[in-house]
Amino acid sequence: MTKTQDIIDLDNEFGAHNYKPLPVVISRAEGPWVWDVEGTRYLDCLSAYSAVNQGHRHPHIVRAIKEQLDKLDLTSRAFHNDVMGQFLKRLCEYAGFEVALPMNTGAEAVETGIKLARKWGYEKKGIPKDQAEIIVCSENFHGRTTTIVGFSTDPDAHEGYGPRTPGFRIIPYDDVHALEEAIGPNTAAFLVEPIQGEAGVKVPSEGYLSDVRRVCTENNVLLILDEIQTGFCRTGKKFCFMHENARPDVLLVGKALGGGLYPVSAALAARDKMEVFKPGTHGSTFGGNPIGAAVAIAALDVLENEKLDERAEELGSYFISELRKIGSSKVKEIRGKGLLLAVELHKEAGPARSYCSRLKEEGILAKDTHGQTIRFAPPLVIDKDELDWAISVISRVIGE
Ligand SMILES: *Cc1c(COP(=O)(O)O)cnc(C)c1O
């Protein structure tokens, strides 16, 4: 038996079976590359769902976490620590918001946005007690908590976990008229992803986000953008909303904010919205901790110093135009923005997972989603030669 199989058996014996990973066991990583326990090298084309935009183990971020580990661990928010404030200032300046509330995982940032919207709805908009409604989109992915999966339309995500938390209304994605019709006097917020990543990189029509921004403003409804996957340069701008100047009232971030080293998330907003949170009304033991704060500052440094937004824009447009040249009858659609791309295959071409297995044999790790779609989202530090190699492999595997 191989080392790989031993480790997979161990995972299967002692772990819950809530994932079905590709049979590869990774034990080392650097930049856009990972190595398995047998020493085989792969190009990472998932980037932990865009949590490693800066590349694996970026030296600047590794240095920051090591230095912080020698100084201070955890204080909780019962006391101040000397790093959190610098982190929040840096994040607010980077994103162009006044204040931020630090959490750890993406789902916690989403829960923070939901709580903020409801409280704002009652205290500022005058929605009657317990009547606040939040509009969301079909095929959304916002995380795995009970409340969040309650408004998922993916049966795998929500079936068996009822009763669903009330107060959510689901409308079609990329349909601004549906939004206008769904808004009522008790609507507190519209929660939406600027590109639906987990749904298979669904890019809305041009103008959708700016239309949504206008409709929310006209109706005094908060626009909450979940940029946990699309944020931090992935789509070719610092944030995806910047393609259309559709600045949200509440911005939810996570994943790459932790530079692939540590879970760090946050909700950002204007002061007059965030002030609905009073001492004791929301929080997290680990949110804003010094280790995460130091990592996030370094993660933002890398995005800015290496101009990863421009890099994602440039390499992304090149990548998509090269993929479009494949010209295989198996390909139904190729879509994406920046370095968040997907190839959707026709049903007759067979399941996307079998292509992911082939790609793995050829040294590329990519993830299938929703049966027919393969997502390609390499770390943004990938260089042109590495990308060219990936394109040749992908073209061969899909074309054959
Ligand atoms: C990954 C993701 C989340 C959830 O983040 P976790 O850190 O897994 O809780 C929420 N929204 C979007 C768009 C995501 O991609």
Side-chain angles (χ1 to χ4, degrees), residues 217-257:
T217 305
E218 286 169 3
N219 292 279
N220 193 27
V221 163
L222 298 183
L223 173 59
I224 307 178
L225 285 185
D226 180 344
E227 292 238 28
I228 291 163
Q229 185 159 158
T230 52
F232 301 119
C233 305
R234 174 53 62 186
T235 72
K237 300 259 185 221
K238 284 173 163 180
F239 294 97
C240 195
F241 76 79
M242 292 173 174
H243 288 285
E244 291 194 9
N245 241 326
R247 199 169 167 282
D249 300 290
V250 181
L251 178 68
L252 307 178
V253 296
K255 293 204 166 115
L257 183 55

Side-chain angles (χ1 to χ4, degrees), residues 84-335:
M84 186 188 79
Q86 299 172 52
F87 153 49
L88 297 179
K89 176 171 191 275
R90 188 66 198 284
L91 175 62
C92 285
E93 285 169 359
Y94 181 86
F97 281 80
E98 284 176 351
V99 275
L101 193 155
M103 297 295 279
N104 312 284
T105 65
E108 290 172 315
V110 174
E111 290 279 352
T112 301
I114 291 168
K115 287 167 95 172
L116 187 159
R118 286 182 170 180
K119 218 159 193 298
W120 173 86
Y122 301 127
E123 292 177 8
K124 306 263 178 169
K125 185 167 171 167
I127 296 173
K129 187 176 187 316
D130 292 347
Q131 299 299 303
E133 222 173 56
I134 294 174
I135 301 172
V136 298
C137 288
S138 54
E139 293 188 75
N140 69 70
F141 183 84
H142 295 290
R144 300 291 196 170
T145 65
T146 346
T147 286
I148 293 170
V149 299
F151 58 79
S152 171
T153 57
D154 176 358
D156 284 344
H158 72 78
E159 256 172 37
Y161 299 131
R164 293 173 167 215
T165 304
F168 297 93
R169 194 169 169 156
I170 302 167
I171 61 167
Y173 188 58
D174 195 17
D175 184 343
V176 73
H177 297 294
L179 175 63
E180 280 178 304
E181 275 169 30
I183 291 174
N186 295 339
T187 306
F190 178 45
L191 166 63
V192 66
E193 299 155 83
I195 291 175
Q196 289 187 322
E198 293 312 294
V201 190
K202 297 272 169 74
V203 183
S205 332
E206 227 178 290
Y208 174 65
L209 289 179
S210 45
D211 285 346
V212 158
R213 175 63 279 180
R214 178 180 47 76
V215 168
C216 286
T217 305
E218 286 169 3
N219 292 279
N220 193 27
V221 163
L222 298 183
L223 173 59
I224 307 178
L225 285 185
D226 180 344
E227 292 238 28
I228 291 163
Q229 185 159 158
T230 52
F232 301 119
C233 305
R234 174 53 62 186
T235 72
K237 300 259 185 221
K238 284 173 163 180
F239 294 97
C240 195
F241 76 79
M242 292 173 174
H243 288 285
E244 291 194 9
N245 241 326
R247 199 169 167 282
D249 300 290
V250 181
L251 178 68
L252 307 178
V253 296
K255 293 204 166 115
L257 183 55
L261 287 179
Y262 201 90
V264 188
S265 71
L268 296 98
R271 194 175 312 278
D272 69 336
K273 310 285 187 317
M274 196 70 91
E275 73 187 10
V276 299
F277 289 126
K278 300 283 189 299
T281 61
H282 186 47
S284 161
T285 305
F286 283 87
N289 76 75
I291 310 288
V295 164
I297 292 169
L300 292 169
D301 285 344
V302 171
L303 296 172
E304 290 195 316
N305 295 345
E306 303 189 13
K307 298 191 169 65
L308 293 186
D309 48 353
E310 291 169 22
R311 216 183 156 81
E313 174 90 57
E314 245 174 70
L315 292 177
S317 9
Y318 173 70
F319 195 177
I320 202 166
S321 70
E322 290 299 305
L323 286 175
R324 287 192 167 128
K325 287 182 193 158
I326 295 177
S328 162
S329 59
K330 294 176 185 168
V331 176
K332 186 174 171 197
E333 192 184 27
I334 291 168
R335 54 179 180 259

